Amino acid sequence: MALLLSRSDVQSLLSMGDCIEIIEEAFRCHALGNVVMPQRTAIRIEKHHGLHLGMPAYIGGETDALGLKVVTVYPDNPARHGLPTTMGLLLLNDPATGAPLAVMDAGFLTGMRTGAVSGVATKYLARTSATRLGVFGAGVMAYRQVEAVCVVRPIKTIHCFDIDTARAENFASQVSASLGVEVRPVPSARDAVENMDIIVTATSAARPVFDGTWLVPGQHINGIGSHSPAARELDTATIVRAKAIPDSIDACLVEAGDFLIPIDEGAITKDHLRASLGEVIAGLKPGRESPDEITLFKSVGLALQDVSVASAVYRKALEAGVGFSFSF
């Protein structure tokens, strides 16, 4: 028998605090060599401006989880079709037998795990005294980013910039009401960078969203919106000035235009990517080494995040009696 878990089922079982702990352990396992994770397959549907991704992973050790996420990213969906930008399903298998354990909605899960990984990166890379957060983007992903950062740092002030001012105003009201933090929609990109301790980019932009010369010593950046070789949210100045810690060096050197474009320009080499997040978590390589460093976490999204979180959701569902049982 397997479990079918809807979006509401997953929502009822998964908190951001729990998700951050799960993701932290998954990345530690990755650095220690306990994860098998092929490069994800990508099909670009140019006619409809869409992206279809297949993301498998096996996580060994105590986690012992095996699964595959199929996810689509269609940036035009909200405006043109009234649908979410990101939708997906996750198939969880028993690693001992290969039998299906669960099929679950992966839309909410994707947002949570994407926020959680930035929460983990912020925990290890941002200054502990950070209280001011600048956010680019005002969608679901941006909300989860803010939620996660607020779990690991005592954020008191948030500046949100979006090219759609009404959307930024709605985002500010929503976040302020739900998280109890002061949120200001700001009129310019510079307002979301200057005087901020942490900066998050969670947009669908293909070109840089701010000028890297605006950065000052001690800031931390989470870049999570772009995940294709020709697109980037962060300009060359930002990449050159920052100590870069990606989710996966190998994945980012295939998919992240934020790094690939400066490499093509000759501004940096591959060695500029100092360590992976997992290596920092596991204590194999250093993260932030001084209060004045500018640190950067760049994420393209990894299957280990989805599978580790899905495994935890499945266990919680069994304990709570949540979901619909079915057989193939």
Side-chain angles (χ1 to χ4, degrees):
M1 298 293 286
L3 278 182
L4 180 63
L5 298 169
S6 68
R7 183 185 183 94
S8 61
D9 291 333
V10 177
Q11 285 178 309
S12 72
L13 297 165
L14 189 60
S15 72
M16 183 56 77
D18 288 343
C19 200
I20 287 172
E21 291 182 7
I22 295 162
I23 293 293
E24 183 174 358
E25 175 59 18
F27 272 87
R28 188 186 70 83
C29 286
H30 187 216
L32 296 177
N34 291 329
V35 174
V36 179
M37 184 175 58
Q39 183 67 30
R40 64 185 172 192
T41 58
I43 302 174
R44 297 192 179 277
I45 317 300
E46 301 293 350
K47 178 180 178 181
H48 301 291
H49 306 106
L51 179 65
H52 181 282
L53 300 169
M55 303 172 64
Y58 169 67
I59 305 167
E62 293 184 6
T63 302
D64 199 30
L66 173 66
L68 165 70
K69 185 176 82 168
V70 176
V71 63
T72 57
V73 183
Y74 279 65
D76 295 341
N77 269 359
R80 296 181 62 182
H81 305 292
L83 293 171
T85 297
T86 303
M87 294 182 284
L89 288 174
L90 193 141
L91 171 63
L92 193 68
N93 296 88
D94 184 340
T97 67
L101 295 177
V103 177
M104 67 183 73
D105 173 82
F108 176 77
L109 186 150
T110 297
M112 290 291 282
R113 63 77 146 158
T114 305
V117 73
S118 288
V120 175
T122 300
K123 174 181 174 180
Y124 281 88
L125 299 174
R127 292 181 299 184
T128 56
S129 60
T131 60
R132 298 165 298 182
L133 171 62
V135 182
F136 287 82
V140 173
M141 287 296 179
Y143 179 86
R144 296 302 173 196
Q145 293 291 307
V146 170
E147 182 182 12
V149 170
C150 286
V151 169
V152 300
R153 288 293 183 269
I155 301 300
K156 297 179 180 177
T157 302
I158 298 172
H159 286 186
C160 172
F161 175 74
D162 193 281
I163 56 174
D164 185 332
T165 55
R167 187 170 172 172
E169 290 170 358
N170 290 335
F171 179 86
S173 298
Q174 179 188 12
V175 173
S176 181
S178 60
L179 299 181
V181 181
E182 178 191 355
V183 186
R184 280 184 54 200
V186 292
S188 74
R190 192 160 191 154
D191 291 322
V193 175
E194 289 188 339
N195 300 314
M196 297 294 104
D197 300 308
I198 300 167
I199 300 159
V200 169
T201 59
T203 75
S204 58
R207 294 184 177 87
V209 297
F210 68 84
D211 187 333
T213 64
W214 300 342
L215 296 169
V216 297
Q219 289 179 306
H220 171 68
I221 306 143
N222 292 322
I224 68 104
S226 58
H227 45 77
S228 68
R232 58 174 174 169
E233 293 180 297
L234 307 173
D235 67 3
T236 298
T238 297
I239 301 301
V240 169
R241 298 184 66 195
K243 180 176 187 176
I245 309 290
D247 55 1
S248 164
I249 293 174
D250 290 342
C252 280
L253 289 177
V254 172
E255 298 184 9
D258 304 80
F259 295 130
L260 293 173
I261 294 170
I263 288 172
D264 287 345
E265 293 172 346
I268 62 168
T269 66
K270 295 178 181 179
D271 294 337
H272 190 72
L273 280 64
R274 305 285 190 88
S276 69
L277 178 61
E279 289 174 317
V280 173
I281 293 169
L284 302 177
K285 293 185 179 179
R288 174 176 288 277
E289 296 181 88
S290 80
D292 291 335
E293 275 188 314
I294 297 172
T295 53
L296 163 66
F297 171 66
K298 172 59 193 170
S299 173
V300 292
L302 304 178
L304 68 88
Q305 298 166 246
D306 304 293
V307 173
S308 61
V309 174
S311 179
V313 167
Y314 172 70
R315 293 194 301 271
K316 287 175 178 286
L318 290 179
E319 294 171 1
V322 172
F324 173 76
S325 297
F326 70 100
S327 58
F328 286 91

